Amino acid sequence: MSNPVIIAAKLNHKRSAFEKMVAEINEANERSQELLRAVDDATTEEELDTVEKSVEEIQAEITSKEEQKSVLEKEIADLEAALEESNDKAPDKNEELEGGQRKMKKGNEEVREGIKGYIRSKGQERAGFTSVEGGALIPEEILKTKEVPEDVVDLSTLVNVVPVTRGGGKYPLIKKSGSKMVSVAELAANPELAKPTITEVPFDIETFRGYIPVSQEVIEDADYDVAGMIAAEIADQELNTKNAEIAAVLKTATAKTVTGLDGIKGVFNKDIKKVYNVKAILSSSLYNTLDTMKDLDGRYLLQTDITVESGKKLFGKEVVVLDDDMIGAANGDLKGFIGDPKAAVTLFDRKRASVKWVDNDVYGQLLAGFVRFDVAKTDADAGFYITFTPTV
């Protein structure tokens, strides 16, 4: 008889994959509908060909995902039947009935123990957690439950994130035009609207990887949560890697030198179209410079606002602070991105972090981490990369 805990873990994994697949299908259908709505605005055969090609690619993607969805549905049904049969024969005390579905009381703890066993046994024990290509997959919920400093910034929450299932391809986008419809008389001919600009953003997934050395003595003698320590470190390095890649793309925005407060106000007030959701992503040195400035009425420019994640606003726009050498090049740089990061940057997410034993020629092992994604610029008009010069 199969272990109900293992079956439940497999079932949760399949359900998660199914939910993700449904979301990807819905997102692909939405992209297809957006392109089809743009057909009437195409004026040349070349534009129609571009739309047709993009729609065909999306439809092929949807067909493939629908087939994967059907397979997942069957696998879920089989696992549910197996779990019910297993529980009928030998009820598991670690499970309870909640909302009509069986859930493990100690899901994360069970998975952690599985990963610890995997580490201590050098990859031989794999019960209680899923595996990817022989490596232990660290579930997303475990990565995010580790304590992190409150001021850690996750730039992936600010940009457009698109889950992908392939190593490369093109992602069609319709650029914001800022145009509007016009009023016409009853039964009058429809006026021509502004033509949407459809661009295909290429992406090429890259693999980022590294290792954490673990001595054999630690593996054999440690009485603390080695798996938790490694999972937290890998999660932190994944965050730092994505932040660095996103910041690198933000720095490719149109360069602009601004002088004093009037220069920054000009960027907010007139240089960026109002269709964009503008934020200020600043170096800590630039933030500190602005934080000490006051307006003519003696009020500090940066205002506290608990409605935004960063807690600060500049001229009514959210402020996000990064290290000088991340959004700039060196300590002391007065640099920043002012614009709409979600419109400007897209992160194509391929695979979550995982750990895997790799041979080492010393008395120990290397626990390697992997993450696969790509970051691309999508809208060059969505913001500026500024260099600030204080007024004398």
Side-chain angles (χ1 to χ4, degrees), residues 99-283:
Q101 295 180 348
R102 292 193 176 274
K103 296 185 177 181
M104 290 181 291
K105 290 182 178 180
K106 298 181 180 180
N108 285 354
E109 289 81 357
E110 193 75 36
V111 177
R112 286 184 185 280
E113 289 302 317
I115 295 178
K116 286 177 65 177
Y118 174 84
I119 292 173
R120 291 180 180 275
S121 65
K122 303 180 185 178
Q124 298 305 308
E125 295 181 12
R126 304 180 182 218
F129 64 96
T130 57
S131 62
V132 177
E133 299 172 353
L137 180 66
I138 300 176
E140 186 174 349
E141 63 271 19
I142 290 182
L143 292 179
K144 292 189 175 180
T145 56
K146 300 301 292 184
E147 293 184 2
V148 294
E150 292 183 358
D151 60 348
V152 168
V153 176
D154 184 357
L155 290 180
S156 67
T157 63
L158 303 179
V159 303
N160 182 36
V161 178
V162 178
V164 295
T165 58
R166 300 176 183 177
K170 293 182 179 180
Y171 181 66
L173 287 173
I174 298 180
K175 183 178 178 181
K176 295 181 179 181
S177 65
S179 301
K180 59 183 180 180
M181 295 183 179
V182 297
S183 175
V184 295
E186 184 177 354
L187 298 180
N190 285 333
E192 182 178 356
L193 299 178
K195 299 181 181 65
T197 301
I198 302 175
T199 58
E200 291 186 337
V201 179
F203 65 90
D204 185 12
I205 299 299
E206 295 184 70
T207 300
F208 299 83
R209 60 186 180 181
Y211 63 86
I212 298 175
V214 183
S215 71
Q216 192 64 32
E217 290 85 352
V218 169
I219 296 170
E220 295 174 352
D221 302 334
D223 57 358
Y224 54 87
D225 187 4
V226 178
M229 175 191 70
I230 295 174
E233 177 60 20
I234 290 178
D236 185 58
Q237 292 192 22
E238 177 187 357
L239 174 63
N240 294 339
T241 301
K242 288 183 177 179
N243 279 352
E245 294 298 313
I246 292 171
V249 175
L250 290 175
K251 289 191 284 188
T252 65
T254 303
K256 194 174 189 65
T257 301
V258 297
T259 302
L261 298 179
D262 290 343
I264 291 184
K265 283 185 177 180
V267 177
F268 280 111
N269 294 341
K270 64 182 181 64
D271 293 338
I272 301 178
K273 290 183 178 181
K274 304 308 177 187
V275 295
Y276 294 111
N277 182 22
V278 179
K279 302 179 188 294
I281 302 176
L282 310 177
S283 67

Side-chain angles (χ1 to χ4, degrees), residues 11-29:
L11 181 58
N12 288 336
H13 176 68
K14 294 297 182 182
R15 284 172 175 166
S16 177
F18 179 80
E19 291 174 359
K20 180 180 179 182
M21 187 63 62
V22 171
E24 290 177 357
I25 292 173
N26 291 338
E27 186 271 338
N29 278 317

Side-chain angles (χ1 to χ4, degrees), residues 55-119:
V55 170
E56 289 177 350
E57 290 177 352
I58 294 175
Q59 289 303 316
E61 177 185 346
I62 292 173
T63 299
S64 175
K65 291 183 184 299
E66 288 286 359
E67 293 174 354
Q68 297 176 54
K69 176 186 170 185
S70 298
V71 172
L72 286 170
E73 286 178 331
K74 185 179 184 305
E75 291 175 342
I76 289 172
D78 292 343
L79 286 170
E80 287 176 340
L83 182 60
E84 184 177 356
E85 180 182 357
S86 178
N87 283 323
D88 287 342
K89 292 181 179 179
D92 193 324
K93 295 181 180 180
N94 287 331
E95 293 181 359
E96 61 181 353
L97 191 62
E98 177 181 330
Q101 295 180 348
R102 292 193 176 274
K103 296 185 177 181
M104 290 181 291
K105 290 182 178 180
K106 298 181 180 180
N108 285 354
E109 289 81 357
E110 193 75 36
V111 177
R112 286 184 185 280
E113 289 302 317
I115 295 178
K116 286 177 65 177
Y118 174 84
I119 292 173

Side-chain angles (χ1 to χ4, degrees), residues 213-354:
V214 183
S215 71
Q216 192 64 32
E217 290 85 352
V218 169
I219 296 170
E220 295 174 352
D221 302 334
D223 57 358
Y224 54 87
D225 187 4
V226 178
M229 175 191 70
I230 295 174
E233 177 60 20
I234 290 178
D236 185 58
Q237 292 192 22
E238 177 187 357
L239 174 63
N240 294 339
T241 301
K242 288 183 177 179
N243 279 352
E245 294 298 313
I246 292 171
V249 175
L250 290 175
K251 289 191 284 188
T252 65
T254 303
K256 194 174 189 65
T257 301
V258 297
T259 302
L261 298 179
D262 290 343
I264 291 184
K265 283 185 177 180
V267 177
F268 280 111
N269 294 341
K270 64 182 181 64
D271 293 338
I272 301 178
K273 290 183 178 181
K274 304 308 177 187
V275 295
Y276 294 111
N277 182 22
V278 179
K279 302 179 188 294
I281 302 176
L282 310 177
S283 67
S284 56
S285 290
L286 177 51
Y287 172 82
N288 182 65
T289 299
L290 297 176
D291 195 30
T292 58
M293 289 185 176
K294 299 179 180 180
D295 60 19
L296 296 177
D297 296 324
R299 296 172 300 188
Y300 285 104
L301 292 176
L302 290 175
Q303 299 296 320
T304 301
D305 191 334
I306 61 174
T307 64
V308 296
E309 185 175 352
S310 66
K312 289 289 186 179
K313 277 189 174 182
L314 176 63
F315 305 133
K317 305 298 183 181
E318 182 180 358
V319 174
V320 179
V321 183
L322 300 179
D323 291 335
D324 290 351
D325 57 357
M326 178 172 287
I327 194 63
N331 290 334
D333 280 354
L334 303 180
K335 303 276 190 177
F337 172 85
I338 295 180
D340 186 346
K342 188 173 287 291
V345 179
T346 295
L347 184 149
F348 298 95
D349 198 3
R350 177 66 181 88
K351 189 176 182 180
R352 289 181 293 170
S354 62

